[in-house]
């Protein structure tokens, strides 16, 4: 045995005081079974979060045109994604409602899971071997990634941009860092989780009161306290508390995703406030004032570019064949306008008017000033969708300034922010450009 | 090194390759700023949020242990009737604090045209309802217990 080994042994046998000593952690609830119950909820939950997140990323059609791509350096992390379809109309609505609402629901479960394994953060010695050290570094990516994704998501839906990075890049690349660590974590721990779940009966556990709640059998990972205190809450009670947190978050936010009469139940969600009962009284993404839109008068003309370029006044647009579509607009932030009745000119009709072929993409430009989504490129499939409109009216009235007067894009299943408002120019481009 | 350890090491290295590929892109722009947020959010949880809630809870448990007379009302332990609504109300405050405390009022109004003014009142009202439900449940427990004691063995 070398001097270094002897020194390492000495360090290992003498943990610093406080949380590094096993006697510090005294809750009788911590143990493999309790952790496994939380994990069995997180495993499908996190998988669904990743898949809906990836779908939302694809929904922006980042590979269609540089302007759609908030992450031009994505490389292998998204260049393979397929284009996004123009329907069914609820596709993006459901995807983002699930992504954001589920993310909120998972917060108490993640917090409980971190509570259940926190003694491992202080395990002593900090590293037993090189493999152990590498595994702990991976856990930093796992825990850091999970908390980072939840924090950036929760702050973003409340418009609290207190960070030095762009949300889209951070949330997307952060998700890949997290999922890389998550996959190996699941691969290493799945057997432990299944074994722990089999070790105790859920039904029996849910019938055990505080007075009979005792620590689990000592486990090789030392999650079980070496010196458990008497229980002050049963496992049933603790899991019930986590469930109460998740259900409350769900109940007080799901209404902003569904919209309509349920919106007023979303008491604490950003978009749980009712706007009124008029035709234009539904949620707005960016106000005209914020976008720097001056009042648009009779001089406004829509510029149409294509093989036979032209321009049209609003009256001329209203004189064309009008089409009505009942569509929701759903935001990446997990709220929706609910279904509204939009009236205007089909984008396919405008494409035909300028002699653009049916396989032509559409570049839409707004009067909007300042950064962020003043333009978007729509795919040929989206342009040709029967319900894809340049909308002039909503719910039987002219658009209001906040909803995009004089004209806005409405396309089924398109992420909210790409339904460009205050449209000034439509450029039909061959798909190869 | 065992075969199992070897496989684990390989899987970890593969995971680091993917995480590194994404991490380089994550850190583009502001290495220190983004890195601080990534590591910092976990550190704030582990060294601030956890000690805060666990510390408050432990203090309460110790107090009730030392003063057992305080711990029960008509023989029913009330600790968890405080813990559950306090935890849920605290969770709601943690999640919705930017709107409740109106720190993102300006950007919220610019985006939505709405005011963040209602959220504090709504959170207080939800908190009051949570505590009221818990208190009513406790009262029902106490009443049931008294009822069963009166019937007697």
């Amino acid at each position: 045995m070398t001097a270094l080994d002897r020194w390492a042994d000495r360090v290992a046998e003498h943990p610093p005081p406080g949380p590094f000593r096993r006697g510090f952690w005294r809750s009788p609830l911590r143990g493999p079974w309790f952790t496994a119950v939380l994990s069995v909820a997180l495993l499908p939950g996190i998988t669904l979060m990743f898949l809906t997140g990836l779908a939302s990323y694809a929904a922006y059609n980042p590979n269609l045109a540089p302007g759609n791509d908030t992450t031009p350096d994505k490389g292998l992390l998204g260049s393979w994604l397929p284009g996004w379809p123009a329907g069914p109309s609820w596709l993006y609505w459901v995807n983002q409602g699930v992504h954001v609402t589920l993310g909120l629901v998972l917060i108490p479960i993640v917090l409980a899971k971190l509570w259940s394994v926190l003694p491992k953060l202080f395990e002593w010695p900090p590293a037993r071997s090189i493999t152990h050290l590498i595994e702990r570094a991976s856990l930093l990516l796992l825990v850091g990634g999970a908390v980072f994704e939840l924090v950036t998501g929760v702050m973003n839906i409340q418009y609290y941009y207190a960070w030095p990075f762009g949300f889209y890049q951070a949330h997307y690349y952060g998700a890949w860092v997290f999922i890389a660590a998550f996959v190996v974590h699941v691969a290493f721990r799945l057997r432990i989780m299944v074994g722990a779940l089999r070790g105790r009966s859920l039904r029996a556990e849910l019938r055990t009161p505080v007075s009979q709640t005792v620590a689990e059998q000592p486990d090789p990972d030392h999650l079980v306290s070496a010196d458990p205190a008497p229980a002050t809450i049963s496992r049933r009670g603790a899991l019930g508390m986590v469930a109460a947190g998740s259900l409350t978050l769900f109940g007080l936010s799901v209404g902003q995703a569904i919209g309509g009469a349920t919106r007023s139940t979303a008491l604490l969600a950003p978009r749980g406030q009712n706007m009124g009962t008029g035709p234009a009284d539904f949620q707005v993404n960016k106000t005209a004032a914020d976008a720097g839109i001056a009042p648009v008068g009779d001089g406004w003309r829509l510029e149409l570019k294509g093989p036979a370029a032209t321009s049209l006044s609003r009256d001329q647009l209203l004189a064309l064949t009008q089409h009505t579509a009942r569509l929701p607009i759903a935001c990446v932030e997990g709220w929706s306008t609910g279904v509204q009745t939009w009236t205007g000119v089909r984008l396919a009709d405008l494409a035909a008017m300028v002699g653009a072929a049916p396989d032509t993409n559409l570049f839409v430009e707004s009067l909007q000033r300042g950064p962020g989504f003043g333009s978007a490129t729509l795919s040929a499939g989206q342009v040709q969708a029967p319900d894809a409109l340049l909308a002039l009216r909503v719910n039987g009235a002219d658009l209001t300034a906040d909803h995009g007067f004089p004209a806005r894009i409405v396309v089924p299943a398109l992420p909210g922010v790409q339904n460009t408002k205050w449209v000034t120019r439509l450029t039909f481009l061959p798909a190869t450009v | 090194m065992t075969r199992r350890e070897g496989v684990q090491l390989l899987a970890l290295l593969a995971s680091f390759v993917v995480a590194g590929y994404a991490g380089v892109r994550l850190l583009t722009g502001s290495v220190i700023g983004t890195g601080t947020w990534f590591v910092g959010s976990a550190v704030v949880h582990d060294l601030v949020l956890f000690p805060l809630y666990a510390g408050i809870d432990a203090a309460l448990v110790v107090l009730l242990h030392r003063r057992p007379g305080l711990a029960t009302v008509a023989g029913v332990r009330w600790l968890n009737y405080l813990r559950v609504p306090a935890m849920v109300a605290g969770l709601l405050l943690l999640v919705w604090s930017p709107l409740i405390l109106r720190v993102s009022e300006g950007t919220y109004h610019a985006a939505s045209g709405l005011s963040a003014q209602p959220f504090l009142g709504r959170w207080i009202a939800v908190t009051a309802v949570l505590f009221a439900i818990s208190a009513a449940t406790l009262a029902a427990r106490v009443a049931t217990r008294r009822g069963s004691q009166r019937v007697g063995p």
Side-chain angles (χ1 to χ4, degrees):
Chain A
M1 193 182 242
T2 65
L4 188 64
D5 286 339
R6 275 198 299 276
W7 177 78
D9 282 353
R10 231 182 101 79
V11 169
E13 283 160 18
H14 295 91
F20 297 96
R21 299 201 173 158
R22 291 194 48 216
F24 178 87
W25 302 93
R26 299 203 58 203
S27 171
L29 263 54
R30 282 198 187 89
W33 184 84
F34 190 77
T35 299
V37 171
L38 299 166
S39 308
V40 88
L42 288 175
L43 179 55
I46 286 174
T47 305
L48 195 53
M49 285 302 286
F50 185 72
L51 293 177
T52 49
L54 202 56
S56 176
Y57 181 79
Y60 280 75
N61 271 333
N63 299 320
L64 191 63
N68 284 12
D69 195 355
T70 52
T71 51
D73 60 345
K74 60 188 180 295
L76 297 171
L77 298 179
S79 52
W80 46 274
L81 284 166
W84 187 251
S89 63
W90 44 262
L91 187 61
Y92 194 69
W93 187 11
V94 171
N95 190 78
Q96 273 326 88
V98 169
H99 185 77
V100 172
T101 311
L102 178 61
L104 292 167
V105 164
L106 292 183
I107 290 172
I109 310 176
V110 169
L111 290 174
K113 166 103 189 201
L114 292 177
W115 175 86
S116 80
V117 296
L118 211 67
K120 301 291 288 174
L121 177 69
F122 298 95
E123 71 182 321
W124 197 266
R128 290 188 305 271
S129 63
I130 294 294
T131 314
H132 183 228
L133 183 69
I134 294 174
E135 197 187 340
R136 294 201 73 190
S138 175
L139 288 174
L140 175 67
L141 298 183
L142 182 79
V143 176
V147 180
F148 182 78
E149 289 299 289
L150 290 176
V151 166
T152 49
V154 162
M155 286 172 68
N156 186 65
I157 64 173
Q158 295 175 80
Y159 311 89
Y160 187 33
Y161 310 120
W163 46 53
F165 42 75
F167 171 73
Y168 286 88
Q169 298 88 321
H171 203 63
Y172 188 62
Y173 294 138
W176 279 103
V177 173
F178 167 76
I179 210 72
F182 178 74
V183 168
V184 288
H185 182 71
V186 171
F188 290 177
R189 304 294 168 123
L190 194 64
R191 277 178 58 186
I192 298 176
M193 182 187 86
V194 172
L197 287 173
R198 287 200 177 132
R200 294 173 90 84
S201 149
L202 177 66
R203 188 174 298 181
E205 215 53 67
L206 293 182
R207 285 186 186 145
T208 306
V210 187
S211 55
Q212 287 164 40
T213 299
V214 292
E216 295 179 42
Q217 296 301 313
D219 65 316
D221 288 319
H222 300 309
L223 283 177
V224 178
S225 172
D227 177 24
T232 58
I233 191 167
S234 60
R235 288 188 184 81
R236 168 184 68 192
L239 292 174
M241 186 155 73
V242 176
S246 286
L247 283 173
T248 309
L249 278 167
F250 176 82
L252 296 182
S253 58
V254 71
Q256 72 162 356
I258 298 170
T262 65
R263 186 177 307 281
S264 46
T265 63
L267 285 177
L268 290 171
R271 298 315 188 104
Q273 300 192 53
N274 273 315
M275 314 278 289
T277 54
D281 289 338
F282 56 91
Q283 297 291 318
V284 169
N285 177 39
K286 189 172 221 186
T287 58
D290 185 46
I293 304 296
V296 178
D298 292 342
W300 175 85
R301 291 183 78 81
L302 174 71
E303 206 180 323
L304 284 167
K305 295 179 92 173
T310 182
S311 76
L312 296 168
S313 70
R314 195 163 188 280
D315 284 343
Q316 287 171 316
L317 283 165
L318 283 165
L320 298 173
T321 306
Q322 300 292 298
H323 179 76
T324 295
R326 290 177 44 76
L327 296 174
I329 296 181
C331 183
V332 68
E333 296 154 6
W335 56 271
S336 88
T337 60
V339 175
Q340 309 293 337
T341 304
W342 305 92
T343 303
V345 185
R346 276 188 171 134
L347 294 179
D349 292 349
L350 292 172
M353 179 188 262
V354 296
D359 65 346
T360 304
N361 291 340
L362 171 59
F363 180 59
V364 183
E365 290 169 88
S366 171
L367 292 166
Q368 180 180 327
R369 295 282 161 264
F373 302 102
S375 65
T377 300
L378 306 179
S379 69
Q382 289 168 328
V383 172
Q384 296 298 324
D387 280 347
L389 300 181
L390 180 74
L392 305 166
R393 297 165 63 79
V394 64
N395 301 324
D398 279 340
L399 292 174
T400 58
D402 280 346
H403 286 304
F405 182 87
R408 76 171 300 169
I409 297 292
V410 186
V411 173
L414 191 67
V417 78
Q418 288 190 340
N419 290 273
T420 308
K421 301 196 280 191
W422 313 295
V423 173
T424 182
R425 188 181 300 118
L426 299 178
T427 307
F428 292 92
L429 307 153
T432 48
V433 171
Chain B
M1 188 183 287
T2 64
R3 192 184 139 83
R4 185 178 154 76
E5 273 182 337
V7 171
Q8 284 200 347
L9 201 56
L10 267 179
L12 281 167
L13 292 179
S15 150
F16 281 123
V17 169
V18 177
Y21 189 83
V24 168
R25 288 157 175 78
L26 175 66
L27 296 176
T28 304
S30 174
V31 177
I32 293 174
T34 313
T36 304
W37 272 83
F38 194 94
V39 178
S41 38
V43 169
V44 167
H45 169 270
D46 295 344
L47 301 183
V48 179
L49 182 64
F50 167 78
L52 185 72
Y53 76 75
I56 292 171
D57 188 70
L60 190 63
V61 170
V62 167
L63 175 76
L64 294 182
H65 185 70
R66 287 192 185 153
R67 307 274 300 276
L70 272 181
T72 57
V73 43
V76 180
R77 297 177 67 86
W78 53 262
L79 172 64
N80 291 329
Y81 294 88
L82 175 66
R83 263 180 178 162
V84 175
M87 190 286 287
V88 176
L91 179 72
L92 292 175
L93 178 62
L94 178 75
V95 170
W96 299 121
S97 53
L99 287 177
I100 292 172
L101 304 177
R102 296 170 75 169
V103 290
S104 59
E105 169 102 65
T107 41
Y108 175 68
H109 178 72
S112 66
L114 299 165
S115 162
Q117 189 263 332
F119 289 105
L120 177 60
R122 288 177 172 198
W123 177 71
I124 291 170
V126 169
T127 301
V129 169
L130 290 170
F131 276 95
I133 293 171
S134 194
T137 316
L138 176 61
R141 271 286 304 277
V142 168
T144 324
R145 195 182 168 97
R146 282 192 176 141
S148 63
Q149 277 170 348
R150 216 167 281 140
V151 172

